[in-house]
Amino acid sequence: HKVIFDIVSSMNAGLNLVTDQKKRDEISQLNLVAGKKAMTSSSFCSAAKYFVTGIGILAEDCWDCNYKHTLTLHQAATKACYIAGSSFDSLKLSIDEQLCHANCLDDKLHAYYCLVRYLSTYGKMREALEKTISILAELGETFPSPSEITPQLIHKDLTATNYQCIPTKQDVMEAPRLTDKIKVWTMR
């Protein structure tokens, strides 16, 4: 692992000398590899630096000409920044980029997931709840707004539930695996 870190760090130190965008894209790819290696080593701050550097040297039209690599870098940066406890501003920049340029809802889900986790981790529970409800609406699920959730509504829902139908552990283990990607993200 150390060799890749040394190579990529050396290349990053000389980035100002590299003007050819194709070479910069190759270095960006190497930053992605180094960042992934750093993540597997639990070196989240280093990983975040590699990912952010990789993003910083992409072409202006990277979302159009190199969508998959750009999305992968942003998703990895978002995760690393969240785990490393980076500032919300740096995390939000990456999330906003993903939400702005994502081609489909599937490509937005990782950014939404990290945003809600960040908000809830840092005690912004109302914002996390409101964002979750708006995301679930985008996924086709409906929930009452936070202002509509009252003790009476909760009591009504709890008393309407038939507790005789609660599945056993065996029922859950034998149930077919959920394969619908949207439903899997909804459950997260």
Side-chain angles (χ1 to χ4, degrees):
H1 293 309
K2 184 164 177 17
V3 173
I4 186 75
F5 298 138
D6 291 341
I7 291 169
V8 176
S9 294
S10 295
M11 289 182 161
N12 288 346
L15 274 175
N16 59 336
L17 302 173
V18 181
T19 57
D20 178 53
Q21 189 56 53
K22 186 174 172 146
K23 294 288 184 201
R24 292 173 74 83
D25 289 344
E26 290 172 9
I27 296 170
S28 175
Q29 187 69 40
L30 289 172
N31 273 280
L32 177 61
V33 172
K36 286 180 177 180
K37 296 274 188 202
M39 289 290 284
T40 61
S41 301
S42 299
S43 183
F44 304 115
C45 289
S46 294
K49 287 178 187 175
Y50 287 120
F51 296 138
V52 170
T53 300
I55 290 168
I57 60 176
L58 292 171
E60 296 240 351
D61 62 347
C62 59
W63 286 100
D64 296 323
C65 65
N66 203 352
Y67 179 82
K68 186 171 174 40
H69 175 66
T70 304
L71 179 66
T72 302
L73 260 176
H74 277 279
Q75 288 175 336
T78 302
K79 184 176 183 178
C81 287
Y82 166 72
I83 295 171
S86 298
S87 73
F88 182 66
D89 292 338
S90 61
L91 183 68
K92 188 80 168 89
L93 279 173
S94 187
I95 289 171
D96 288 346
E97 276 286 304
Q98 291 171 68
L99 296 178
C100 179
H101 295 286
N103 287 339
C104 62
L105 180 59
D106 277 358
D107 291 348
K108 292 180 180 182
L109 292 175
H110 183 271
Y112 281 145
Y113 178 72
C114 287
L115 176 60
V116 169
R117 286 192 63 186
Y118 179 89
L119 291 171
S120 60
T121 297
Y122 289 94
K124 300 178 180 189
M125 298 310 286
R126 177 155 294 284
E127 287 178 66
L129 180 60
E130 289 169 355
K131 181 49 80 178
T132 299
I133 290 171
S134 74
I135 295 165
L136 289 171
E138 202 171 334
L139 292 169
E141 304 292 333
T142 56
F143 285 88
S145 71
S147 62
E148 296 172 327
I149 299 173
T150 63
Q152 293 81 13
L153 178 65
I154 294 169
H155 178 72
K156 179 182 161 201
D157 283 351
L158 287 174
T159 56
T161 302
N162 182 353
Y163 290 105
Q164 307 263 334
C165 297
I166 295 175
T168 64
K169 181 179 179 180
Q170 186 67 30
D171 293 336
V172 172
M173 297 303 288
E174 292 173 357
R177 186 172 183 88
L178 186 60
T179 57
D180 182 331
K181 284 184 191 178
I182 301 297
K183 295 295 181 189
V184 170
W185 276 105
T186 302
M187 296 297 291
R188 282 184 160 186

